[in-house]
Amino acid sequence: QVQLVESGGGLVQAGGSLRLSCAASGSSFTINAMGWYRQAPGKQRELVATISSGGSTNYADSVKGRFTISRDNAKNTVYLQINSLKPEDTAVYYCQARVRVLVGVSYDAIYWGQGTQVTVSS
């Protein structure tokens, strides 16, 4: 019912910047919170940042001051501005959306994007 498509990843030198985007599409749903997670090789997926429908944000300690999450509710899109990139930021970045599906009996669901690779060279 809901598809998430990420874009904006790539290869960048340490100290550089990237802007990730994630657009949600589908029908009969409303989006509550959206967020970004990442998974480095050999590691578990971890929270990067989340943003509520009202704009409240939450960040992992490791990215505070460098990453900024924002959203455009009209476009059902969430963004992640990544500055001062470090090699340890190298990972696949996944978008997550917590939605309420409005088909028949409404229910809550979590959807994930396919991931976008961010590679930071030293």
Side-chain angles (χ1 to χ4, degrees), residues 67-111:
F67 291 17
T68 302
I69 189 170
S70 61
R71 64 189 284 177
D72 184 333
N73 290 334
K75 296 181 179 179
N76 286 335
T77 300
V78 64
Y79 305 95
L80 187 68
Q81 179 67 41
I82 310 175
N83 298 327
S84 303
L85 276 159
K86 304 175 181 179
E88 52 263 42
D89 294 319
T90 295
V92 177
Y93 284 69
Y94 295 92
C95 172
Q96 183 203 72
R98 296 177 179 264
V99 308
R100 168 141 290 206
V101 179
L102 309 171
V103 177
V105 178
S106 298
Y107 60 92
D108 294 328
I110 296 175
Y111 290 88

Side-chain angles (χ1 to χ4, degrees), residues 17-100:
S17 299
L18 283 174
R19 189 189 193 212
L20 307 183
S21 299
C22 172
S25 63
S27 61
S28 303
F29 70 95
T30 59
I31 299 178
N32 295 323
M34 299 187 79
W36 290 94
Y37 291 71
R38 66 185 181 186
Q39 188 166 17
K43 295 187 177 181
Q44 290 187 332
R45 190 173 298 188
E46 63 176 2
L47 169 73
V48 174
T50 62
I51 185 167
S52 71
S53 57
S56 297
T57 59
N58 179 55
Y59 295 92
D61 288 341
S62 60
V63 307
K64 284 181 180 177
R66 299 188 298 122
F67 291 17
T68 302
I69 189 170
S70 61
R71 64 189 284 177
D72 184 333
N73 290 334
K75 296 181 179 179
N76 286 335
T77 300
V78 64
Y79 305 95
L80 187 68
Q81 179 67 41
I82 310 175
N83 298 327
S84 303
L85 276 159
K86 304 175 181 179
E88 52 263 42
D89 294 319
T90 295
V92 177
Y93 284 69
Y94 295 92
C95 172
Q96 183 203 72
R98 296 177 179 264
V99 308
R100 168 141 290 206

